[in-house]
Amino acid sequence: MKKIGITTTVPIEVLIAANYQPIDLNNVFVTSSNYQEYIEIAEREGFPKSSCAWIKGIYGVCIKEDINEIIGVMEGDCSNTKSLLEVLSLKGIKIHSFSFPHSHSLEDVTNEIQKFMKRFHVEETSVEKIRIQLKGVREKAKKIDELTYKENKVSGFENHLYQISLSDCNGNVESFEQALDDFIKQAQSREKNCKSLRLAYIGVPPMTADLYDYVENYDAQFVYNEVQREFAFPRYDQANTIFEQYYDYTYPYENDYRLAELKKEISKRKIDAIIHYTQAFCHRAIEDIYLKNKLDIPILHIEGDKINTLDARTKLRIEAFLDMILDTKGVKNESIRN
Amino acid sequence: MKVLGIDLGSREVKIVLMEDHTIIQQQKMSTMNFYKNYCIYDKTLKVDIEKLGIKDYEKGISTGYGRNNTDLNTFKAINEIKAHVYGAKYQTQLEEFILLDIGGQDIKIMKVEKGVMTDLELNEKCAASCGRYLENMASVLEISVEELSHYYKEPITLNSTCAVFSESELIGKIAEGVSLEKLCAGVNYSLYQRLRPMLTKFKGNDLVISGGVAYNKGVLEYLKQDYNKIIQLKEPQYNGAIGCCYYGIKYA
Ligand code: SF4
């Protein structure tokens, strides 16, 4: 199997059918102990200081880890991807593109996926076969999600980790499915761990994953990871075709569509407050205005940049925010002092 | 229900007694005086409430400067930032605002959205934009802080970013024969200029001002350039103590 890098969620069913092993470059970047080195590689190449760390990280990973084929999402994700792909092509890396069309019509989505299949020389029937095969994995991710918000046995971070991993199934569907099984078994046997505050994490996956543990210090937990959950396609069983599945995906399309799903989950999961994470220099920070306007629930907006841990100021903001939300819940939190 | 709120500031202690959402008693004194004459240290810090002239209260909430100082026994200590936000909510009835608190020795800026604090900035390290700076400059000019606070027209420029160096700069200007009005305006303007970079992250429509500097007309005049509405609290100096009471009534 040939490796192929992806910059975000794309129809991996197509890639797997084409006998490729998809690798989510974001995950490689952020889980590396020397993630800073990847950023360095990009900055030395001339990527501006004022560009997003994810973009630079992906670039560094491609160069350092000998990725020689990559798919970038040109529409619906990051506007910087186009330039990233161009620079990568200079390095002799084979590039492909995929789009989640702005129009968000089923017809256009179908068109895009058909183009994608053609590019990788696969037929719809073999893609469908993989889609059906992946249903098992998607179902297990859903189970983990339920163990998080219904049974309180899975932490926000674990939830984040497993949901996000569905973007590439860690490069190997069989062993990933086994890992999910093992985890579910282990989690089911745990005691419930209920915290007073139920939080939603919305926005791009964080550079600063310590956020999850930090929040749990304060009698709070994330019971919803918006985008990570979308990566796992939780409504896969309502789709009859691969086209419908990728049509029913909130994040790359317009915000109103995303909001409808958000609202549904906020009420279903009894969310008290939201932490909205965006990346420095990303257009998604502007979306914060829209989301805050449309959602009637306290939202704390935090921004990450190049460091993978929370800075002191952000910690203080989170602490004070949670403290006040706890007040409204009638909980006396002794852990928060001056 | 009667709730007693105590805000232990670095320089002054503010005490407010509220009954059913109404302030029925308030007083302030120097921090020194409070610790010396109204407190006994017996492993924990105890306040002599009767000596303060307060007869009875059901709940006591304290807040203030420094983690250890706030732990009065029988009082529940709450975070200072929170106390100020609650104070401003009580006093303005607003749910969306930016709160600028300039005290004697520190500055806090808090953003409140949907009634909850979502952003903050603290400056505890430099005195050049706090009340202490205005006091020092007033004493150089040999006028009261009150008088100093009136002026804002045609400010002279004070370039120094440091509270200590500003004094000698001011003396230099006095020697050049600049009028007192312009000197005072210059002092207020320099404080405003130091606030500005801190405030740029906190743009918005309504700016609520608390702390002693809220009495400074000059500074308020300059801030009007940057915000649609400046809201001066009725009791800017008691805001933290009022916030304690609000917390006690609503949540404790
Ligand atoms: S966080 Fe924003 S700028 Fe960065 S890669 Fe994602 S979409 Fe692009």
Side-chain angles (χ1 to χ4, degrees):
Chain A
M1 258 202 274
K2 247 178 100 189
K3 284 186 184 171
I4 190 162
I6 57 176
T7 61
T8 182
T9 295
V10 294
I12 48 167
E13 289 82 353
V14 175
L15 301 175
I16 296 172
N19 213 18
Y20 271 103
Q21 180 190 18
I23 312 235
D24 188 330
L25 302 170
N26 296 288
N27 297 350
V28 179
F29 163 56
V30 80
T31 55
S32 163
S33 55
N34 44 12
Y35 69 98
Q36 297 241 351
E37 203 187 322
Y38 296 132
I39 299 178
E40 265 292 315
I41 293 171
E43 289 190 344
R44 255 185 271 129
E45 192 69 48
F47 279 72
K49 288 261 174 232
S50 61
S51 64
C52 166
W54 285 118
I55 289 289
K56 288 187 274 204
I58 288 175
Y59 179 82
V61 170
C62 285
I63 302 299
K64 184 105 194 289
E65 308 305 329
D66 280 336
I67 304 283
N68 40 39
E69 198 166 353
I70 171 176
I71 301 159
V73 172
M74 307 285 271
E75 212 176 297
D77 189 47
C78 182
S79 45
N80 296 328
T81 306
K82 194 166 163 273
S83 318
L84 170 71
L85 292 190
E86 280 172 354
V87 179
L88 283 171
S89 76
L90 285 178
K91 299 278 162 181
I93 292 171
K94 190 168 174 194
I95 54 174
H96 308 272
S97 65
F98 180 75
S99 293
F100 291 101
H102 266 315
S103 66
H104 194 202
S105 74
L106 183 58
E107 196 191 331
D108 291 346
V109 176
T110 304
N111 237 326
E112 269 303 319
I113 297 179
Q114 278 169 343
K115 267 197 321 215
F116 200 52
M117 293 192 300
K118 224 190 229 154
R119 176 124 201 185
F120 288 98
H121 313 292
V122 285
E123 296 296 323
E124 198 178 322
T125 46
S126 50
V127 171
E128 279 301 321
K129 231 196 250 156
I130 302 291
R131 185 174 75 89
I132 288 159
Q133 195 191 327
L134 282 184
K135 280 187 173 187
V137 180
R138 303 209 185 280
E139 187 55 36
K140 281 164 193 160
K142 231 169 116 175
K143 178 75 206 156
I144 293 176
D145 199 20
E146 283 168 8
L147 281 164
T148 315
Y149 76 92
K150 279 191 188 156
E151 301 186 39
N152 298 91
K153 290 183 174 178
V154 168
S155 72
F157 178 71
E158 289 168 329
N159 179 283
H160 152 83
L161 199 66
Y162 283 102
Q163 304 298 316
I164 208 171
S165 297
L166 263 86
S167 65
D168 63 359
C169 292
N170 286 351
N172 182 331
V173 179
E174 284 79 30
S175 65
F176 181 58
E177 192 159 1
Q178 186 59 49
L180 293 180
D181 277 330
D182 295 345
F183 178 74
I184 291 172
K185 219 157 93 223
Q186 189 234 329
Q188 273 168 333
S189 67
R190 294 177 183 172
E191 294 287 313
K192 272 181 192 279
N193 182 11
C194 299
K195 301 286 184 90
S196 302
L197 280 189
R198 296 169 68 83
L199 303 175
Y201 176 96
I202 72 171
V204 278
M207 272 289 289
T208 52
D210 61 332
L211 167 69
Y212 289 91
D213 281 342
Y214 186 73
V215 156
E216 299 210 345
N217 290 335
Y218 295 104
D219 198 10
Q221 75 196 119
F222 286 106
V223 293
Y224 178 37
N225 283 303
E226 182 214 3
V227 171
Q228 296 92 323
R229 175 173 173 268
E230 289 299 312
F231 282 5
F233 291 89
R235 298 169 299 281
Y236 73 91
D237 51 352
Q238 289 160 31
N240 297 310
T241 59
I242 184 94
F243 313 118
E244 283 181 22
Q245 182 176 313
Y246 284 86
Y247 169 79
D248 176 44
Y249 179 32
T250 64
Y251 192 58
Y253 306 117
E254 72 279 6
N255 268 321
D256 283 339
Y257 190 69
R258 178 180 167 196
L259 271 161
E261 182 62 20
L262 261 171
K263 282 184 183 161
K264 213 168 74 200
E265 292 304 317
I266 288 167
S267 93
K268 186 162 113 195
R269 295 172 192 237
K270 302 194 175 60
I271 305 282
D272 299 302
I274 293 177
I275 294 189
H276 181 204
Y277 178 96
T278 61
Q279 193 67 26
F281 312 113
C282 175
H283 69 283
R284 294 207 178 262
I286 305 171
E287 290 174 352
D288 185 64
I289 307 166
Y290 196 74
L291 296 174
K292 272 187 181 151
N293 237 288
K294 296 273 182 166
L295 292 171
D296 190 23
I297 180 170
I299 302 179
L300 179 75
H301 177 211
I302 63 173
E303 207 174 66
D305 192 359
K306 284 200 284 195
I307 307 293
N308 74 351
T309 49
L310 297 169
D311 60 83
R313 196 174 99 87
T314 306
K315 283 185 176 170
L316 193 63
R317 289 178 57 206
I318 295 171
E319 183 182 314
F321 178 74
L322 296 179
D323 186 14
M324 288 189 77
I325 308 277
L326 276 167
D327 284 350
T328 61
K329 291 272 285 185
V331 179
K332 290 158 202 141
N333 187 14
E334 299 300 333
S335 62
I336 299 176
R337 285 286 180 83
N338 287 296
Chain B
M1 182 174 55
K2 276 191 192 163
V3 179
L4 180 61
I6 298 190
D7 176 6
L8 297 131
S10 56
R11 304 187 48 209
E12 276 183 319
V13 173
K14 282 80 71 174
I15 301 157
V16 168
L17 185 64
M18 253 161 84
E19 183 170 19
D20 305 329
H21 294 267
T22 316
I23 299 170
I24 53 171
Q25 204 176 322
Q26 65 187 49
Q27 58 181 306
K28 63 183 167 80
M29 62 185 72
S30 81
T31 304
M32 199 59 182
N33 180 12
F34 179 77
Y35 283 128
K36 244 165 90 185
N37 301 318
Y38 297 90
C39 292
I40 317 149
Y41 191 80
D42 174 18
K43 286 205 186 86
T44 59
L45 204 56
K46 291 188 178 136
V47 207
D48 190 338
I49 299 292
E50 269 178 35
K51 214 168 164 190
L52 284 169
I54 292 160
K55 290 210 179 62
D56 59 290
Y57 66 94
E58 280 145 76
K59 278 182 202 161
I61 313 289
S62 68
T63 192
Y65 190 79
R67 191 186 180 83
N68 303 320
N69 302 336
T70 58
D71 280 331
L72 297 177
N73 92 320
T74 75
F75 277 71
K76 181 181 162 59
I78 64 165
N79 179 292
E80 220 188 331
I81 299 158
K82 187 162 93 172
H84 275 89
V85 169
Y86 284 148
K89 279 177 71 167
Y90 171 84
Q91 292 201 72
T92 63
Q93 307 290 317
L94 290 174
E95 294 282 305
E96 310 264 332
F97 55 90
I98 289 156
L99 175 62
L100 169 63
D101 178 81
I102 311 177
Q105 276 187 191
D106 67 345
I107 298 174
K108 302 186 220 13
I109 307 173
M110 290 146 270
K111 182 172 187 173
V112 178
E113 294 172 290
K114 298 181 181 136
V116 183
M117 198 254 17
T118 57
D119 205 354
L120 79 160
E121 182 78 67
L122 306 172
N123 181 2
E124 299 160 320
K125 297 202 171 70
C126 173
S129 38
C130 308
R132 187 59 166 263
Y133 170 71
L134 296 178
E135 282 168 25
N136 287 356
M137 297 303 255
S139 90
V140 171
L141 293 168
E142 295 183 347
I143 56 170
S144 68
V145 177
E146 215 270 305
E147 163 140 41
L148 171 76
S149 75
H150 290 291
Y151 303 99
Y152 60 91
K153 285 189 185 138
E154 299 177 59
I156 46 117
T157 317
L158 293 171
N159 285 317
S160 176
T161 51
C162 165
V164 177
F165 288 133
S166 287
E167 279 186 31
S168 43
E169 212 187 332
L170 185 67
I171 290 165
K173 297 284 178 194
I174 299 169
E176 283 169 25
V178 180
S179 75
L180 184 70
E181 288 83 353
K182 286 184 185 173
L183 291 171
C184 291
V187 169
N188 294 332
Y189 191 70
S190 64
L191 187 140
Y192 161 73
Q193 267 188 316
R194 289 185 207 109
L195 283 177
R196 257 183 106 175
M198 284 178 73
L199 283 167
T200 47
K201 266 197 240 147
F202 294 82
K203 296 229 161 88
N205 292 320
D206 297 347
L207 182 75
V208 176
I209 306 187
S210 67
V213 180
Y215 291 120
N216 188 301
K217 290 195 198 73
V219 174
L220 295 190
E221 232 12 86
Y222 300 130
L223 285 167
K224 274 186 196 158
Q225 301 165 11
D226 304 324
Y227 292 88
N228 289 349
K229 212 161 139 199
I230 305 282
I231 299 147
Q232 199 183 353
L233 294 178
K234 239 173 107 193
E235 301 290 355
Q237 287 177 295
Y238 288 99
N239 191 49
I242 292 172
C244 286
C245 296
Y246 177 98
Y247 173 86
I249 292 164
K250 262 194 101 141
Y251 304 121

